[in-house]
Amino acid sequence: MNNQPANTEDVMNNANSASALSKTKAVEVETHPFAPVLPPDATVMMMGTFPPTADKWAMSFHYPNFYNDMWRIYGSVFFDDIDYFRVGDEKRFDPERIRDFMFERGIASCPTVKQAIRETGNASDKNLTVVTTVDLDNILPQVPKVHTLFTTGGKATEVLLNLLAEPPAKSKYPKTNQNMDYPYQWQNDEAVLRANRVNELTLYRLPSTSRAYPLALDKKITAYKDFFKKVGKL
């Protein structure tokens, strides 16, 4: 039986396909594991990026790492007790208590990133490749009273600003503890598009609560307390 000579173009295409498949297998696209917390009467919404890998979780809820200070900051700001949301002497926080608090106080939490690739296998925003961003057209109608978004770091700020019809230059991004108008224009609702409706939102950038962020805990607490006073939560 005579073998037909291989088509060179087919061989090259097969090789390229194999190479692309190999590269695809080398990375893993992860989906954010926690659903947004969207109290219907919320007036402010906290927006971060992506949680650490599951082995670093102390609970199945936003900011799950026991050594991230988010819930210590909330405890201090609202209850003058950094351990308010902690479960006794255990190294974990109580997600139900946190969720109940957020509904009572009208504070929403929604990540800016739905899908991402961890280039270095950790939670560092610096090495996070964003694949799919938040769909604000879906989220905002669920929290119609929200007037203020606040980010918990630079990456989340960048993601949100790039969702604007006219994203500002990086030099115009708000620095930590600063704010700016956030004229998000709805994309999918044809009626809204016809009316050219724009949400009148304000975006605040707050310091990251990760311990990798070089700011003392008491200064982070002060920053968050000042913010919550400005938006009428204290």
Side-chain angles (χ1 to χ4, degrees):
M1 178 176 172
N2 293 328
N3 291 327
Q4 296 294 323
N7 183 292
T8 303
E9 185 176 349
D10 287 344
V11 171
M12 293 180 64
N13 286 340
N14 289 339
N16 289 337
S17 296
S19 175
L21 181 60
S22 175
K23 290 178 181 178
T24 300
K25 289 182 176 179
V27 298
E28 180 183 356
V29 177
E30 296 183 48
T31 299
H32 200 292
F34 309 129
V37 178
L38 303 174
D41 292 327
T43 55
V44 299
M45 185 157 66
M46 176 167 64
M47 304 192 75
T49 49
F50 222 67
T53 52
D55 60 303
K56 301 292 195 302
W57 298 359
M59 61 176 177
S60 294
F61 195 74
H62 299 260
Y63 303 91
N65 191 331
F66 182 70
Y67 297 103
N68 184 297
D69 286 319
M70 179 61 76
W71 304 119
R72 292 181 182 85
I73 290 171
Y74 269 78
S76 179
V77 168
F78 289 95
F79 303 101
D80 199 28
D81 179 4
I82 62 171
D83 289 325
Y84 183 82
F85 293 109
R86 186 173 177 177
V87 179
D89 293 329
E90 298 180 38
K91 291 185 177 180
R92 64 187 181 95
F93 300 104
D94 185 339
E96 292 304 318
R97 191 173 195 183
I98 295 170
R99 183 181 177 83
D100 289 347
F101 158 79
M102 297 181 78
F103 270 77
E104 289 168 4
R105 294 298 180 110
I107 301 172
S109 180
C110 178
T112 60
V113 179
K114 290 175 65 176
Q115 291 183 309
I117 297 169
R118 303 179 199 270
E119 301 293 350
T120 55
N122 58 33
S124 171
D125 281 349
K126 180 180 178 181
N127 300 310
L128 191 71
T129 297
V130 177
V131 176
T132 308
T133 60
V134 63
D135 180 1
L136 287 180
D137 275 22
N138 176 50
I139 297 298
L140 289 176
Q142 298 181 64
V143 282
K145 296 181 182 179
V146 161
H147 53 68
T148 303
L149 310 178
F150 66 102
T151 57
T152 59
K155 188 74 168 184
T157 305
E158 178 182 352
V159 171
L160 281 182
L161 290 177
N162 280 323
L163 296 180
L164 295 178
E166 297 182 7
K170 287 191 175 183
S171 60
K172 301 294 184 181
Y173 285 11
K175 293 181 170 53
T176 303
N177 297 324
Q178 293 183 351
N179 67 85
M180 64 179 290
D181 291 339
Y182 187 75
Y184 177 74
Q185 187 164 355
W186 292 36
Q187 303 297 311
N188 299 326
D189 187 332
E190 292 183 5
V192 170
L193 286 175
R194 284 196 298 271
N196 196 31
R197 176 181 171 183
V198 175
N199 277 353
E200 294 183 1
L201 298 168
T202 300
L203 173 64
Y204 280 79
R205 177 179 173 179
L206 296 185
S208 168
T209 55
S210 167
R211 293 189 179 179
Y213 184 74
L215 187 67
L217 178 58
D218 62 335
K219 292 184 177 180
K220 292 182 183 182
I221 290 171
T222 297
Y224 277 74
K225 181 176 287 187
D226 289 346
F227 165 76
F228 282 118
K229 284 180 179 177
K230 287 178 183 176
V231 297
K233 293 297 180 184
L234 286 175

